Amino acid sequence: MTAPVTAADPAPSRPRRRPPRADARSSAGLRDALTIAAVWLLLGTVTALVRPDFLSTQTLLAVTFTMAVAGVLAVSQGLVVISGGLLDLSLPVALILSAWVTVSLLGAGLPTIVAVLAGPLTGAAWGLLNGLIIVYGKLNPIIVTLATGFGGLAIMLVLFKSAQIPSGSELRAFGLGRTLGLPNVFWPMVILIVLTGLAVAYTRWGRRMVAVGGNAVAAKARGLSLPRTRLAVFGGAGAIAGFAGVLFCSVNPSFTPNAGAGFQLIVIAAVILAGISLSGGKGNFLVLLLSVGFLSTIPVSIAFFGLPPAWSLVFQGGLLILAVGIDGYRMRRSAR
Amino acid sequence: MTVDIDAGRVPLTRRLLANLNGPVGSIALTLAVTLIIGAVWVGPRYFSASNIEIVGTSIAIPLIVGVLASFALLAGVVDLSIGSMVGFGAVAFNQLVGAGMDPWQAAGLTLLTGVAVGAVNAYVIVGLGAEPLAVTLGMLTLLRGLCQAIVIEAPPTTLVEPLYDLTQGSIGSFPTLLLIAIGLTLVAAGFVGKTRMGRAIRAVGGDARAAGRVGIPVARVRVIALIVSAVGAALGGILYVGQLASASNILGTGLEFQIYAALMIGGYSITRGGVGNPIGALLGLLVVGAITNILNVQFIDPDYLDIIVALILLGAVLLDRIRGGDSFE
């Protein structure tokens, strides 16, 4: 477990909106992790008590398949949030657009490596587009990505109605395969989360990004370029979302432009549950593994309880409300 | 607030010019451009009575929902859940009436669920201090899930006569509901601009701390604004049942984007309170309605609507920022 990342304490020259909370947060990451693990375990235990067949390979596969794409997207969203970019509401577009470009190139007969690299490139281009509008328009990221999210979905609906990955392609074979009993696509997600967690906590680049998120004014005063950081974060987060698109199309034989919408809430909920606060500047990426796993288990548990799938939306929505409520309450208490 | 007092001494013409320079002016210009494009491209039938009626009917309910949701924006707390709340209100009302309940009772119960949803939003946002956007995104998903959990098979068809007359009737060539919605807009504009309470709401959205220091009950204003927003959406749902005589589980999906885009085009901000005027909301929705209509009449893929709205929205917030509105960093 890496040390919880906290913004560098800025010089106390001007009145700050957020109080310093470096010491108050030192054990928060661990506490978040333990809480989520406990709730996850509780959910699994209750479901297994009601339906003993819940503890099966099928469940494990269902949960890990969902985790793979949601986890990579959560890293992308987490980077935007921790760097003070508020939220990227257009992630579903980055995901599906990249998946579409990848399967289109595969369908055109291009080598797998080209198609797989095109996914992250498409995502990066999309992220940079958002970043350029945000930085040079000096506009709020939430408004910009709300607009590009809906506009982008509409563009995709004009471009294609449904896309299929060629069934004989290597990428599809990779998506169907397993390593160590778990889906192949699960492992890149785990590696990405661990690497990002380490990079954010221990590299100069990561520290700077968190510093910008914690207090942009202080970071600027210390000579960090806000526009460059924003562009880098939105571009990089877009590339990661594009990578999620590659994983997504390898496990979904066909998809529509709307297919990304289902990830929007689960990803934001996972980021907030993991303690990556919407106010920026703090959070631990390793906890994402737990929060994504927990949220991905909900739909499977719902199915085992015999409830219609719509109930997982109800529970995930309720959980997000609960999580941001707790987050807000903690912030308010630490502000006193 | 001193601006309002001074405004009385400035000549009327100069006040009108000052207004034209603001967000309401640029949205009026956008509307004019849209109408000219419609006139040139579609021809005279664009302004025929039947076409005006179609546009009027299509924007009446979003206008009612939007004007009531605009109070939350003014108070600085955005409520993203209105699209799903419209859907949930419609589904609840339709199912209750379909099950044989008296329509008045059903409408009362539906509005009460609006109060409950608004109160939950308000408790988490105002009571616990959570980010409004994230909370109401959760509520948006939760309510959509409930819609899908309730309506699994084909929803019942309901015909409530007084509601049908209200939503489908017209006075001359103007739909009754549109006249009611415009009336509501004007009342809201007067309330926000001229009354003490309206100014209090704007103050809360503009600078909550300063508003608190001068004795305005910030928490109470925001709680009431969030409840009004959710009840308005529930009311919109009931009206949709009157218009469509049924309610599917996807009704209202994405409506929040079109309403908030229209509100932002009309001068509101979803990230900062205290700015915007209900008249701007009316003009913004007219622009969206007029563009939708051009696309419909010309048989153009309706998907282009969201692309155009997104571009206009970005243009509008950029213009507002250049004028000295809130800038990010």
Side-chain angles (χ1 to χ4, degrees), chain B residues 87-147:
Chain B
F88 183 68
V91 162
F93 179 71
N94 191 49
Q95 298 286 333
L96 288 174
V97 173
M101 188 185 263
D102 172 58
W104 292 105
Q105 274 182 12
L109 263 180
T110 306
L111 293 180
L112 274 182
T113 61
V115 174
V117 167
V120 171
N121 282 341
Y123 172 70
V124 184
I125 293 169
V126 181
L128 299 178
E131 179 65 39
L133 210 93
V135 174
T136 53
L137 178 69
M139 187 56 88
L140 177 141
T141 311
L142 191 155
L143 291 174
R144 184 57 58 196
L146 282 180
C147 289

Side-chain angles (χ1 to χ4, degrees), chain A residues 137-142 147 150-151 154-155 157-158 230 265 268 278 310-311 313-314 317-318 320-321 324-325 328-329 332, chain B residues 124 126-131 133-135 137-139 141-142 145-146 148-149 257 271 303-304 307 310 318 321 327-329:
Chain A
K138 288 192 168 53
L139 297 178
N140 187 302
I142 290 177
F150 274 91
I155 291 173
L157 285 167
V158 171
R230 291 273 170 261
L265 177 111
I268 294 175
L278 282 181
W311 282 100
L313 291 180
V314 177
L320 176 60
I321 297 175
V324 286
Y329 176 71
R332 183 169 287 188
Chain B
V124 184
V126 181
L128 299 178
E131 179 65 39
L133 210 93
V135 174
L137 178 69
M139 187 56 88
T141 311
L142 191 155
L146 282 180
Q148 292 176 5
F257 172 66
T271 51
D303 292 328
Y304 282 100
I307 303 178
L318 187 63
R321 206 271 297 159
S327 78
F328 180 73
E329 288 173 353

Side-chain angles (χ1 to χ4, degrees), chain A residues 17-245:
Chain A
R17 291 167 75 190
R18 280 185 289 277
R21 56 182 116 76
D23 28 348
R25 299 288 310 181
S26 56
S27 63
L30 189 63
R31 192 180 58 194
D32 283 343
L34 289 176
T35 312
I36 301 168
V39 179
W40 192 10
L41 196 67
L42 184 72
L43 176 71
T45 314
V46 171
T47 318
L49 283 177
V50 178
R51 290 279 303 271
D53 53 337
F54 174 73
L55 298 174
S56 66
T57 322
Q58 287 307 313
T59 301
L60 193 63
L61 286 178
V63 172
T64 44
F65 265 122
T66 314
M67 277 182 80
V69 177
V72 175
L73 284 176
V75 171
S76 172
Q77 187 71 273
L79 288 173
V80 170
V81 173
I82 205 169
S83 68
L86 302 176
L87 270 179
D88 181 355
L89 295 176
S90 76
L91 267 194
V93 178
L95 173 83
I96 300 299
L97 197 65
S98 314
W100 177 67
V101 168
T102 304
V103 301
S104 301
L105 293 181
L106 280 179
L110 270 81
T112 307
I113 181 76
V114 175
V116 167
L117 285 177
L121 279 178
T122 309
W126 178 259
L128 273 178
L129 174 72
N130 281 327
L132 286 170
I133 301 175
I134 290 163
V135 168
Y136 291 104
K138 288 192 168 53
L139 297 178
N140 187 302
I142 290 177
I143 297 177
V144 171
T145 56
L146 181 74
T148 58
F150 274 91
L153 174 62
I155 291 173
M156 289 196 296
L157 285 167
V158 171
L159 285 174
F160 70 100
K161 296 296 164 216
S162 161
Q164 285 85 26
I165 185 166
S167 54
S169 61
E170 289 172 51
L171 187 62
R172 178 72 183 134
F174 171 80
L176 289 171
R178 291 186 211 166
T179 307
L180 300 177
L182 292 177
N184 278 343
V185 287
F186 179 75
W187 299 109
M189 183 273 295
V190 175
I191 294 168
L192 181 73
I193 287 185
V194 173
L195 284 184
T196 312
L198 294 175
V200 167
Y202 294 116
T203 66
R204 166 182 288 206
W205 174 83
R207 286 297 209 183
R208 283 182 170 176
M209 190 183 71
V210 177
V212 168
N215 190 327
V217 177
K220 199 174 171 183
R222 289 188 176 182
L224 297 181
S225 160
L226 288 188
R228 215 180 297 160
T229 312
R230 291 273 170 261
L231 283 177
V233 168
F234 272 90
I240 293 174
F243 178 61

